[in-house]
Amino acid sequence: MPRAAAGGAWAAPLWLLIRGLLAVPRAIHELLWGLFFLNILGLNPLVAVLAIALPFGAIVSKVFAEIFDETPQEPLESLLGSGVSPLAAWLYGLLPQAFPDLLSYTTYRFECSLRSAAVLGVIGAGGLGYEILLSLQSLRYGQLWTGFYALVLLNGGVDWWSDWVRRRLGFTSRLDLNVAQRPQNSHAPKPNLQTANPWPLRLSWGAIALSIPLCFWGLGIDWTRLWSARTRRLLGDIAAAATPQWPSPTEWATLLYLSGLTLVMSILAIALAGLGGMLLSFPAAQTFLLPGGWLRPLDDPTTTQAPLAWLMLVATRLALLLSRAVPAPIWALVCLFVLFPGILPGAIALGLHNLGILGRLMAEVNENLDDRPVRSLHALGASGGQAILYGVLPQNLGRFLAYTLYRWEVCMRETVIVGLVGAGGLGRLLTEQLSSFDYSRLVLTLGCFVALTFLVDLISQQMRSVVGGRGEA
């Protein structure tokens, strides 16, 4: 809920209450929600739908609220001052300005939901993730790679479609919250929702409107399970068994030790993902080596080497696509087949998955760069490394760090899912407590994990305010 749209003495407490209520579901990973609903609803498509909808709904609500908060408020205030109702003022004064960012982030979150659906297959929710798990357990590596290829094609198709839609509408970046604060690239088209509606775009909107009811119909979800007598009875049993008891000093020491391991795992993962993503973001950007790019002006004699530049671009983007298309717990299962159980396989798995995401986002930052300083340096005789060091990094380093810090928050949440498959940390303890139905200690462990997530969120937010980055990844 945006602060600007609320009014009255009750508005601030209500705003804080809503933000606080949204903090808990987004701090708990969708895999944990899946395990919770699996115990209540059994093997049913409704498990995956609810497990993704709860945390994603909280995350999207938080980001949408930030988008509305950072949207210029003058039109809204003018309408309110002229006597227009708050709802009408919001619909005509605030929503049209924020709509490009709302749409852009929605397409990005849809890409994330595909990966989450594959993650939920690990706990038996079906889909590609479940088939990959079966292939690993039966040591059928040919089928395993077939599942990987299917994930790459699916994620690549959605990524291409969302990128095409954003560019047709003139939204060159998927994650910036404020259109007015975006880098002013003279080559970037301006959003124009009135004229950017060719028939392929209208066909996309029609396909989306048709696919949503078809998906619900195809899954055959039985919504009556949510309020059935069996569901109410199981919820009551879990609530009665989940009353936490004060832990002993030994249990406190174990929780603190595992919390430390979880924090270390997230730091190692984000360091690998941030550095790797930053390095790969340059060859993955179309403005890097292609003819007419920063380092290859059209009058450059090496422009004839364009096929090699295209090959590097395609190879890098495919590597990033494979890296982010395979979910972190599946990477963890692969790493555990090679390495000993512990936080190292978990850190590598999280690093590989987030490297693909950060590399793609940072490549978009590079493509939206104001390239005049880089071209000036190149015209003065600077080498490629010097042009990047003095022309690119000073402009983009703050946003690189902001995206990396945002992904650190996500890494912190995802440590629990790689722990569930045996990679150590609090996730391993959660697995033991879930398998033994020890709900009282499970609630305490979840409380430690949520507190640790909030701590990382706070540190990340403070660091982002220093580097001046914005956006939710």
Side-chain angles (χ1 to χ4, degrees):
M1 178 180 182
R3 284 172 290 185
W10 51 268
L14 178 62
W15 178 79
L16 291 174
L17 176 62
I18 294 175
R19 294 292 285 260
L21 291 176
L22 291 176
V24 175
R26 76 169 185 267
I28 300 175
H29 196 274
E30 53 267 21
L31 187 61
L32 290 179
W33 285 114
L35 290 170
F36 172 72
F37 288 119
L38 190 65
N39 288 331
I40 297 175
L41 303 174
L43 289 175
N44 190 282
L46 187 58
V47 171
V49 172
L50 293 176
I52 295 176
L54 267 177
F56 276 41
I59 293 171
V60 170
S61 298
K62 171 180 175 289
V63 176
F64 278 15
E66 291 180 355
I67 291 173
F68 284 120
D69 283 343
E70 298 195 13
T71 301
Q73 308 293 312
E74 290 78 7
L76 175 69
E77 294 171 355
S78 299
L79 289 173
L80 290 174
S82 62
V84 177
S85 67
L87 178 59
W90 181 81
L91 286 174
Y92 294 101
L94 200 63
L95 183 60
Q97 298 182 80
F99 179 75
D101 290 309
L102 300 178
L103 178 64
S104 183
Y105 187 77
T106 301
T107 59
Y108 167 71
R109 187 49 59 180
F110 175 53
E111 298 172 34
C112 297
S113 68
L114 283 177
R115 293 188 285 268
S116 296
V119 169
L120 289 170
V122 175
I123 62 171
L128 283 173
Y130 185 61
E131 295 299 324
I132 290 174
L133 176 64
L134 293 179
S135 300
L136 272 172
Q137 291 176 341
S138 59
L139 303 180
R140 296 178 179 177
Y141 298 112
Q143 294 181 1
L144 174 67
W145 278 105
T146 301
F148 283 178
Y149 296 149
L151 279 177
V152 168
L153 289 175
L154 185 61
N155 281 267
V158 172
D159 180 70
W160 174 86
W161 170 80
S162 63
D163 181 73
W164 178 83
V165 169
R166 288 194 310 273
R167 294 185 182 276
R168 294 296 295 184
L169 293 174
F171 314 146
T172 55
S173 179
R174 70 179 75 194
L175 294 177
D176 288 337
L177 295 184
N178 195 338
V179 177
Q181 297 297 328
R182 291 177 180 169
Q184 298 300 314
N185 187 342
S186 59
H187 303 289
K190 302 298 182 183
N192 190 339
L193 300 181
Q194 285 73 32
T195 60
N197 282 304
W199 69 265
L201 200 55
R202 294 177 183 177
L203 185 62
S204 293
W205 302 140
I208 293 173
L210 183 63
S211 64
I212 293 175
L214 283 178
C215 287
F216 280 103
W217 175 78
L219 289 176
I221 296 177
D222 182 11
W223 296 101
T224 60
R225 287 192 177 216
L226 290 176
W227 54 82
S228 66
R230 178 180 179 274
T231 299
R232 294 196 301 269
R233 177 177 56 81
L234 290 176
L235 280 173
D237 293 343
I238 291 176
T243 304
Q245 300 177 354
W246 189 256
S248 65
T250 303
E251 291 174 332
W252 273 123
T254 302
L255 287 173
L256 290 175
Y257 173 70
L258 293 178
S259 298
L261 287 182
T262 303
L263 182 62
V264 169
M265 186 192 304
S266 70
I267 293 174
L268 289 175
I270 201 58
L272 172 63
L275 291 175
M278 191 181 304
L279 291 175
L280 292 177
S281 69
F282 294 106
Q286 297 185 31
T287 52
F288 186 64
L289 281 177
L290 294 184
W294 313 330
L295 307 183
R296 191 73 60 79
L298 292 176
D299 56 353
D300 193 316
T302 61
T303 302
T304 55
Q305 301 175 3
L308 182 60
W310 276 106
L311 179 62
M312 182 180 295
L313 173 71
V314 173
T316 307
R317 289 204 169 186
L318 281 177
L320 292 175
L321 177 59
L322 174 63
S323 180
R324 69 178 181 271
V326 179
I330 297 178
W331 277 126
L333 288 172
V334 174
C335 292
L336 285 169
F337 270 88
V338 180
L339 302 171
F340 292 105
I343 66 169
L344 182 59
I348 294 175
L350 288 173
L352 284 173
H353 177 65
N354 286 278
L355 181 148
I357 296 174
L358 282 175
R360 183 70 177 93
L361 296 176
M362 291 176 179
E364 288 188 0
V365 173
N366 288 332
E367 290 177 349
N368 297 329
L369 174 75
D370 182 0
D371 58 359
R372 288 173 295 181
V374 185
R375 294 187 183 278
S376 298
L377 288 170
H378 193 272
L380 292 173
S383 64
Q386 291 173 331
I388 292 174
L389 186 61
Y390 296 104
V392 177
L393 287 182
Q395 298 185 72
N396 288 347
L397 186 59
R399 302 181 71 203
F400 286 169
L401 292 176
Y403 283 151
T404 302
L405 290 169
Y406 262 122
R407 290 310 301 184
W408 183 31
E409 300 174 25
V410 179
C411 274
M412 189 67 243
R413 299 184 188 102
E414 290 182 339
T415 53
V416 67
I417 61 172
V418 296
L420 287 173
V421 297
L426 286 172
R428 184 62 179 270
L429 181 60
L430 284 171
T431 304
E432 297 172 358
Q433 293 167 342
L434 280 169
S435 60
S436 61
F437 302 99
D438 190 357
Y439 293 116
S440 62
R441 288 186 172 83
L442 176 66
V443 170
L444 186 63
T445 305
L446 276 177
C448 289
F449 181 75
V450 171
L452 192 60
T453 302
F454 286 164
L455 175 63
V456 170
D457 287 352
L458 180 62
I459 296 173
S460 174
Q461 184 178 5
Q462 294 299 319
M463 294 178 69
R464 288 197 310 272
S465 67
V466 173
V467 302
R470 60 180 69 214
E472 172 72 46

